[in-house]
Amino acid sequence: MHAAFFLLLGASLARFLLRHPWADRGPWVVALSGALAVLYVLGPVIGSRPTPRRLGWLCTVVAVWVVLVVLAPSFAWCAVPLFYTGLRTLPPRAAFALVALLTVFVVVAQLKLADGGADPNLLVAPPAVAAVATAVFVHAQRQADRQRALIGDLLATRRELAATERRAGTLAERQRLAMEIHDSLAQGLSSQRMLLQAADRTWDGDPATARRHVRTAASITERNLAEARRFVHDLAPADLAGGDGLEAALRALAARESARFHVDGTAVALPGRVQSALLRIAQGALANVREHAHAGSAALTLTYLDDQVVLDVTDDGLGFDPGAPRPSGVRGHGLPAIRARAEQLGGSLAVESAPGEGTVLSVSIPLEAP
């Protein structure tokens, strides 16, 4: 639009100089054309907001243009860019009034250029151009307003989604931390309590057994301390901190819990998250065996298949009915935590058990799990 204004201004000045002698109003027209060009250049510097300074500038531009049109009617078509300047600067009613005023001057100027000849186009064309220019501006303004509103809605939605994701991440992290604490510190503390209670019961009648229970509890305390320090450091299982891998960690866990450990298949490299989850699952499962099953023996089996890794935990304990509803008030977070860990990695948990027939717990994790 700025380029169009200067093009029309230059064309109008050239037409005037070619058709009129220099002595006849020439210096005034050239001076006013230069002043109008300078004023138009200053418009962006003043700003686009309808401040008193901006309104004063617009009135000056229109006044100089009106004088130019009176002196040289060929400058009338410079009104089109001025339409948009007024529409951008003034409120709607004032802008429409300015457009109408400029259109009247354009019609008068065109009639003057026609030397009184009857031409209906001179009466119709300027108002039609003004109407089209105004309609285009109003439509573009409405589109811009809708676009700004849409962008605002999108930004608000994005902020809401980000807040929702943060809340979901916080809840997931809380759940993960709860499972970490349950499968490590809480299980260890439970074992210590049981051992210390057993030591208290046998302290007078069998001091050697009581001392053995105390030493075992102290060993578990040491392991729990290592778990707590590692938990604070990076929440990874302490058995994996040495870098010996999952098999070594499971073998050490089985030795502490007096369980057997066996590996089937060709070992493959597992992501750290999968190793940590499988170790936590084994810890939680063996803790359940120790606390609830009253088993004579237990076993861990790690199996590498073509598309998944499977961890089986078996015992010959009391067993239970997996389909039976849990009695109200009974504590039990082990199996739900194990299932949640498996599902987080795209895996699954299967439990086979019956009263008096022991339990087989099987966790399958896809090898492509992240």
Side-chain angles (χ1 to χ4, degrees):
M1 192 58 61
H2 296 330
F5 174 81
F6 287 109
L7 181 62
L8 290 171
L9 182 64
S12 301
L13 179 60
R15 183 182 186 279
F16 176 83
L17 294 177
L18 291 174
R19 289 176 176 265
H20 300 278
W22 175 257
D24 185 17
R25 297 167 293 172
W28 286 104
V29 171
V30 173
L32 289 173
S33 299
L36 184 60
V38 172
L39 286 172
Y40 196 87
V41 169
L42 292 176
V45 177
I46 295 175
S48 59
R49 294 184 177 180
T51 60
R53 186 178 179 185
R54 174 76 175 181
L55 295 177
W57 168 85
L58 178 62
C59 292
T60 304
V61 170
V62 172
V64 172
W65 175 82
V66 169
V67 174
L68 263 177
V69 171
V70 172
L71 294 177
S74 58
F75 284 88
W77 288 109
C78 292
V80 176
L82 295 181
F83 289 164
Y84 289 98
T85 302
L87 290 169
R88 286 196 305 268
T89 304
L90 299 174
R93 292 185 178 180
F96 295 155
L98 177 62
V99 170
L101 177 64
L102 296 179
T103 303
V104 170
F105 273 92
V106 171
V107 171
V108 173
Q110 294 302 307
L111 291 175
K112 187 176 180 181
L113 287 175
D115 295 329
D119 189 350
N121 286 334
L122 299 180
L123 297 175
V124 176
V129 171
V132 171
T134 303
V136 169
F137 176 84
V138 171
H139 177 72
Q141 191 70 26
R142 290 176 178 175
Q143 289 288 97
D145 292 340
R146 283 195 291 267
Q147 186 177 20
R148 282 193 291 269
L150 178 60
I151 292 174
D153 292 341
L154 290 175
L155 291 175
T157 302
R158 187 172 67 178
R159 287 192 293 268
E160 292 176 1
L161 288 175
T164 302
E165 290 176 356
R166 285 194 295 270
R167 287 194 295 269
T170 300
L171 292 175
E173 183 65 11
R174 286 179 179 177
Q175 182 182 9
R176 187 179 72 86
L177 291 176
M179 290 188 299
E180 293 281 351
I181 293 173
H182 172 268
D183 291 343
S184 56
L185 301 180
Q187 297 288 3
L189 291 173
S190 176
S191 299
Q192 293 173 45
R193 184 192 64 180
M194 293 174 61
L195 289 168
L196 292 175
Q197 288 174 345
D200 182 63
R201 289 193 299 268
T202 60
W203 192 267
D204 294 330
D206 191 354
T209 300
R211 283 192 292 271
R212 185 169 65 253
H213 288 328
V214 171
R215 286 194 296 269
T216 304
S219 176
I220 294 176
T221 302
E222 183 179 356
R223 296 296 309 173
N224 265 16
L225 180 60
E227 284 281 357
R229 289 171 177 170
R230 186 63 181 177
F231 186 77
V232 173
H233 183 261
D234 60 0
L235 301 180
D239 287 319
L240 293 174
D244 294 331
L246 177 61
E247 293 181 19
L250 290 176
R251 185 172 286 107
L253 173 64
R256 291 195 304 271
E257 298 290 344
S258 300
R260 300 184 306 276
F261 176 68
H262 181 66
V263 178
D264 284 333
T266 303
V268 297
L270 297 175
R273 186 182 178 191
V274 174
Q275 295 187 47
S276 177
L278 288 176
L279 180 58
R280 292 302 191 199
I281 288 171
Q283 289 175 334
L286 290 178
N288 282 344
V289 172
R290 181 179 62 248
E291 187 171 349
H292 303 295
H294 303 288
S297 63
L300 289 175
T301 303
L302 183 66
T303 305
Y304 295 96
L305 302 177
D306 292 337
D307 58 347
Q308 61 184 349
V309 58
V310 180
L311 176 66
D312 294 315
V313 183
T314 61
D315 68 77
D316 58 358
L318 298 177
F320 66 101
D321 182 3
R326 186 181 301 277
S328 59
V330 174
R331 182 179 64 87
H333 301 285
L335 286 179
I338 291 172
R339 179 173 286 104
R341 286 183 184 278
E343 291 176 351
Q344 286 175 356
L345 296 172
S348 61
L349 167 67
V351 179
E352 297 180 7
S353 182
E357 297 184 6
T359 302
V360 178
L361 183 150
S362 181
V363 175
S364 302
I365 305 296
L367 289 178
E368 65 271 18

